[in-house]
Amino acid sequence: MSKLRFQAVLESRNRKPVTIEETGRRSELYAQNVFNEERMLQHLTKEAFESVKGAIFSGSKIDRKIADQVAEAMKGWAIGKGATHYTHWFQPLTGTTAEKHDAFFDLLDDGRALEKFGGGQLVQQEPDASSFPNGGIRNTFEARGYTAWDPTSPAFIYGTTLCIPTIFVAYTGEALDNKAPLLRALNAVDDAATAVAKYFDKTVAKVNATLGWEQEFFLIDKALANSRPDVMLTGRTLVGNLAAKGQQLDDHYFGVIPSRALNFIMDLEIECTKLGIPVKTRHNEVAPNQFELAPVFEEANLAVDHNLLLMDVMDKIADRHNFKVLFHEKPFAGVNGSGKHNNWSLATDTGVNLLRPGSTPMKNLQFLTFFVNTIKAVDTYEELLRSSIASASNDHRLGGGEAPPTIISIFIGKQLSNVLDELEGVSKGKLSPEEKTELKLNVVGKIPEILLDNTDRNRTSAFAFTGNKFEMRGVGSTTNCAKPMTVLNTIVAKQLREFKKEVDLLVDGKNLKKDEAVFNVLREYIKTSKRIRFDGDGYSIDWEKEAKKRKLSNNKNTPEALAVMTAKESIELFDSMKVLSEVELRARQEVDLEAYILNNQIEGRVLNELVNNHVLPSCLEYQTKVVANISGLKNIYGADYKKMTETQHIILEDLIAHISELKKECDAMTKARKDANTITDSNKKAIAYCETVKPYFEKIRYHSDRLERILDDRLWPLAKYQELLFTN
């Protein structure tokens, strides 16, 4: 295996950047492989175009006749661009995407061939798909799962396949994917936010949640990645001694992008541009060989689809450039992990960002309304929001490096905190003319000026206001954004619905003016959600004590975090907002627990193989050489050999001690894993893996890493950190 390592190192060091030719302006390339509004105008009848636009804007149904027209237009456009197949592209509960390709090709009864694709194939398909995680919603023999067209996300061509974004549901109607609940949540927040926005502008007819994700990732040479079974099978290094240099000098962050990596990113950007993914920003991240891509903000459902598509495309483009992309949240110990910050806001169909202050006191009151309601929603459901970012891989990242802790808090900056403190003192009931003037001119009216200097950013806060949006920083780099976005939009929708009820009650029942009622309700929300706001630096604070003092949850691992999903309050929330039924919610909890178990089970197995098939044989070989050296000196020098072999004896004793402990801990881990596997209850099994299996991972790693330090470099079988992180 050490030969494989050195072959991989040699191969990686001899790589040359793959030549990339820019094929035109990005604006000219943009969305050329997407059946978007521009293509629909070109290929659809006016009736069909209006029907699809109506479905996108208001969710109205598209009848079969129109679907046939759309399908025919899509087929003609796709075949004209070289497509030979079509697929329903969906998001099962694996967290990734799925597709089954069918050819446009078909045969008539008389044996003649033709290209066929009708409204039936566009609108609905019935893939077998029985092996996808379902959490008990359906049995394996009940293989009927339906994919249904989502017209709000345009079809696109990738390679020679027309990809049609779809939802995936069981034959009984329950959602088996991540897209269907997201669409329901977005519909809920649209209804609730539109109703509240009409307080300030009666022309508002629709509110869209917007999302801008920031995708972090590591780029590792393919040969080096292939030489590490742990990287290939788990996405992270289960063992590996820290390199002498890591990220201490901060010299990689925002530095010159290495040539090979830059050419990969350029190639990726060209492909993304053609697919309508508006990637805009690229840069080196903090850790060596870590990078980030970020797009222009989009409507949340489309942004989620684009992020998943980006991850698919990245893998394929990376292979062309002899790279392996690592999306794991913590692929390397001792350096920063990778997140996927979700920047979220609300925008009206009139072009207003509801989380951006305006030029008048009334517009700023609108901003405060949505700002405070979001804070209140997060405060009420902070534990549920934490559950949406829980995974085995993200457990390794949260609370380390620059990653936020497992405790949800909101950072809004001292200036805005001062504004909320002033609003907390608003009189109950009707406001005096003087108080109204003071509030509107000197408190609310000055918010835009305050935000000009509100640039301080607390990197450790899990949820932060950054000028015109909230940034959810705890999301892991492998996570499907649909999960946290479903929860966030649902809780905000619920909160806005409650807010409107309270305001209307004060207006109708207490004869308060609308702005007085708004101020009164916001005052109470500011008081009751104060615990969730934290404006400190985040590094010097003892989060454990702070969470206990503020009565905030601190669910440190995935089994703890997932427990809240089926709490009575969670079931009532999702049911009342028509986002997830109790059956769907319990199924998702079951799927997430199973994923946690399997992830740790696989890592345990891989770790066992690494130790027994790679690490121990190499160490025993070196031990034999040390013993032979000592014996040889003894044969030559007799009794005098002891002084001459003091160093060798120290090395030998260290080898024996760590080899013994490594084997012992590995065997104990295997037994703990086998014991955990006998448990049938998913929750208890996940807890067993968390509490009795996972602790062995670090113990095993410790002894393996100590042995890596001792061993002759020529014998160590696995690519080292300095090779993985500094070969570019």
Side-chain angles (χ1 to χ4, degrees):
M1 281 303 296
S2 57
K3 287 182 181 179
L4 177 60
R5 172 192 159 204
F6 288 115
Q7 287 170 358
V9 169
L10 184 63
E11 188 178 344
S12 66
R13 288 177 179 170
N14 288 331
R15 304 275 196 212
K16 302 296 180 188
V18 176
T19 303
I20 301 300
E21 292 184 11
E22 290 277 4
T23 54
R25 293 183 178 181
R26 297 296 170 89
S27 57
E28 294 169 350
L29 292 175
Y30 184 67
Q32 67 176 219
N33 290 339
V34 182
F35 196 73
N36 56 12
E37 186 171 326
E38 182 182 343
R39 306 293 183 283
M40 287 193 290
L41 277 169
Q42 293 171 351
H43 295 274
L44 296 181
T45 64
K46 183 178 180 182
E47 180 189 19
F49 177 77
E50 292 299 331
S51 181
V52 175
K53 288 291 288 180
I56 294 171
F57 186 84
S58 61
S60 59
K61 289 188 177 180
I62 298 174
D63 66 33
R64 180 58 182 268
K65 178 185 171 185
I66 297 297
D68 284 338
Q69 290 183 38
V70 175
E72 187 63 32
M74 268 190 196
K75 182 189 76 174
W77 169 76
I79 290 175
K81 291 186 72 68
T84 58
H85 289 69
Y86 64 90
T87 183
H88 275 199
W89 186 76
F90 58 103
Q91 304 171 27
L93 297 176
T94 56
T96 56
T97 61
E99 51 196 67
K100 182 184 78 170
H101 298 190
D102 286 304
F104 288 118
F105 175 82
D106 207 347
L107 289 176
L108 296 173
D109 292 339
D110 59 8
R112 286 180 298 158
L114 79 164
E115 275 78 29
K116 185 179 179 183
F117 180 64
Q121 288 82 30
L122 168 65
V123 172
Q124 183 174 300
Q125 293 280 301
E126 188 181 337
D128 175 22
S130 58
S131 294
F132 285 122
N134 61 71
I137 285 180
R138 57 185 184 145
N139 296 317
T140 302
F141 65 85
E142 294 169 330
R144 281 180 294 164
Y146 296 102
T147 50
W149 177 34
D150 170 20
T152 65
S153 185
F156 57 90
I157 296 171
Y158 189 57
T160 58
T161 304
L162 172 67
C163 301
I164 302 155
T166 59
I167 62 170
F168 180 43
V169 296
Y171 75 101
T172 48
E174 290 94 356
L176 292 170
D177 68 345
N178 288 304
K179 179 185 270 277
L182 174 64
L183 290 173
R184 296 170 188 166
L186 294 175
N187 183 61
V189 83
D190 173 18
D191 288 345
T194 298
V196 173
K198 284 182 180 293
Y199 283 149
F200 308 97
D201 181 358
K202 295 192 180 300
T203 66
V204 172
K206 185 175 180 61
V207 172
N208 282 322
T210 62
L211 169 64
W213 39 262
E214 302 169 26
Q215 182 68 58
E216 294 178 345
F217 59 96
F218 282 83
L219 275 183
I220 306 302
D221 186 87
K222 183 166 64 175
L224 291 171
N226 287 340
S227 74
R228 298 259 331 199
D230 50 356
V231 170
M232 295 306 298
L233 295 177
T234 72
R236 76 178 183 110
T237 54
L238 297 177
V239 297
N241 188 51
L242 297 182
K245 180 187 175 187
Q247 64 187 50
Q248 306 98 312
L249 300 177
D250 294 325
D251 51 344
H252 185 69
Y253 190 51
F254 276 38
V256 175
I257 301 175
S259 297
R260 281 184 65 203
L262 180 59
N263 283 20
F264 157 76
I265 294 172
M266 287 169 58
D267 199 2
L268 175 65
E269 287 175 340
I270 291 169
E271 194 62 48
C272 285
T273 303
K274 292 177 183 177
L275 290 167
I277 306 172
V279 173
K280 184 178 177 66
T281 302
R282 64 191 184 205
H283 65 83
N284 291 357
E285 255 301 333
V286 176
N289 275 351
Q290 186 187 31
F291 306 90
E292 180 181 299
L293 289 174
V296 176
F297 282 46
E298 299 180 281
E299 184 275 326
N301 177 47
L302 184 57
V304 168
D305 282 1
H306 279 166
N307 180 250
L308 290 170
L309 180 56
L310 171 95
M311 294 170 78
D312 289 344
V313 175
M314 283 177 81
D315 278 331
K316 293 171 184 174
I317 302 286
D319 191 61
R320 192 153 72 212
H321 289 257
N322 295 303
F323 279 125
K324 169 74 175 173
V325 180
L326 300 186
F327 291 114
H328 194 287
E329 284 82 354
K330 198 75 172 178
F332 301 100
V335 298
N336 277 16
S338 297
K340 179 152 50 189
H341 296 183
N342 278 207
N343 295 280
W344 171 89
S345 192
L346 295 170
T348 69
D349 60 322
T350 58
V352 175
N353 178 350
L354 295 171
L355 288 174
R356 183 196 297 275
S359 55
T360 66
M362 184 55 74
K363 288 180 180 177
N364 291 330
L365 184 55
Q366 175 179 263
F367 156 74
L368 275 174
T369 294
F370 287 92
F371 178 70
V372 173
N373 271 283
T374 302
I375 293 173
K376 175 63 174 171
V378 174
D379 176 64
T380 304
Y381 297 103
E382 45 93 13
E383 200 169 6
L384 193 60
L385 203 60
R386 162 70 179 99
S387 75
S388 73
I389 60 172
S391 69
S393 53
N394 209 19
D395 280 359
H396 294 288
R397 165 181 168 260
L398 293 176
E402 288 191 357
T406 52
I407 301 157
I408 301 295
S409 67
I410 297 179
F411 174 80
I412 64 174
K414 287 184 169 56
Q415 296 91 335
L416 278 175
S417 285
N418 291 338
V419 170
L420 297 192
D421 288 344
E422 290 198 53
L423 290 174
E424 197 177 328
V426 170
S427 298
K428 191 172 183 179
K430 292 188 177 181
L431 307 180
S432 67
E434 294 78 15
E435 190 172 15
K436 269 193 181 184
T437 302
E438 170 66 19
L439 283 171
K440 289 184 176 180
L441 294 181
N442 296 324
V443 180
V444 178
K446 290 186 177 180
I447 288 175
E449 299 168 29
I450 288 169
L451 289 185
L452 286 176
D453 298 318
N454 190 35
T455 55
D456 183 24
R457 301 181 73 189
N458 183 331
R459 305 302 301 174
T460 60
S461 178
F463 201 83
F465 184 71
T466 55
N468 58 2
K469 62 190 182 299
F470 280 100
E471 184 176 17
M472 193 172 173
R473 296 182 180 140
V475 184
S477 48
T478 61
T479 302
N480 182 337
C481 299
K483 293 178 72 176
M485 285 297 101
T486 296
V487 172
L488 180 57
N489 284 289
T490 301
I491 65 177
V492 171
K494 174 71 170 177
Q495 179 53 49
L496 288 171
R497 184 187 285 185
E498 295 301 316
F499 171 77
K500 188 173 187 305
K501 284 182 187 175
E502 292 185 47
V503 170
D504 289 348
L505 189 62
L506 290 178
V507 171
D508 298 334
K510 301 290 185 178
N511 293 320
L512 294 186
K513 293 186 181 298
K514 180 182 64 183
D515 54 352
E516 290 177 327
V518 168
F519 275 125
N520 270 261
V521 177
L522 291 183
R523 178 198 62 225
E524 294 307 310
Y525 290 171
I526 291 166
K527 287 179 181 177
T528 56
S529 63
K530 208 166 185 177
R531 65 169 189 157
I532 201 77
R533 287 162 32 207
F534 177 72
D535 294 324
D537 63 14
Y539 288 102
S540 59
I541 187 174
D542 184 331
W543 278 105
E544 301 271 335
K545 289 182 180 178
E546 194 67 23
K548 190 173 288 187
K549 185 174 76 175
R550 294 169 180 244
K551 296 183 178 177
L552 292 170
S553 66
N554 183 15
N555 296 320
K556 297 178 183 179
N557 56 60
T558 293
E560 285 182 8
L562 294 179
V564 72
M565 289 179 69
T566 49
K568 181 182 177 182
E569 295 77 14
S570 300
I571 293 170
E572 289 175 353
L573 165 73
F574 286 110
D575 184 62
S576 68
M577 302 311 294
K578 295 182 170 54
V579 172
L580 287 166
S581 67
E582 182 174 350
V583 169
E584 291 171 321
L585 200 54
R586 290 189 181 280
R588 274 157 178 72
Q589 184 187 54
E590 184 73 16
V591 167
D592 288 346
L593 286 169
E594 187 69 16
Y596 178 83
I597 292 164
L598 292 174
N599 187 289
N600 283 293
Q601 186 182 85
I602 291 167
E603 287 198 350
R605 287 173 174 170
V606 172
L607 195 50
N608 196 31
E609 290 176 7
L610 277 179
V611 169
N612 288 297
N613 299 340
H614 299 271
V615 176
L616 285 179
S618 300
C619 292
L620 292 173
E621 183 180 350
Y622 184 54
Q623 180 178 276
T624 300
K625 288 188 174 186
V626 175
V627 170
N629 179 270
I630 294 171
S631 297
L633 289 171
K634 182 179 181 181
N635 289 336
I636 295 171
Y637 294 102
D640 291 337
Y641 89 99
K642 289 186 178 180
K643 288 184 180 179
M644 299 175 181
T645 58
E646 284 181 0
T647 299
Q648 289 93 320
H649 274 97
I650 291 171
I651 293 171
L652 184 60
E653 286 168 9
D654 278 352
L655 280 169
I656 292 169
H658 288 298
I659 287 171
S660 174
E661 287 299 310
L662 184 61
K663 178 63 176 168
K664 186 176 79 174
E665 299 290 4
C666 202
D667 289 347
M669 181 268 291
T670 301
K671 182 183 183 306
R673 185 163 48 80
K674 288 179 178 178
D675 290 343
N677 288 340
T678 64
I679 301 171
T680 55
D681 180 86
S682 296
N683 185 54
K684 291 178 181 177
K685 191 172 183 178
I687 292 171
Y689 261 94
C690 181
E691 295 180 353
T692 66
V693 178
K694 257 186 81 177
Y696 284 109
F697 291 2
E698 285 307 309
K699 295 177 183 178
I700 292 167
R701 180 176 199 133
Y702 170 76
H703 294 292
S704 176
D705 291 357
R706 294 293 296 184
L707 286 165
E708 183 184 337
R709 292 187 207 175
I710 299 169
L711 216 65
D712 183 342
D713 184 63
R714 292 168 297 180
L715 295 179
W716 187 253
L718 306 170
K720 294 189 172 185
Y721 269 33
Q722 65 191 47
E723 295 152 0
L724 293 166
L725 290 171
F726 292 96
T727 301
N728 51 32

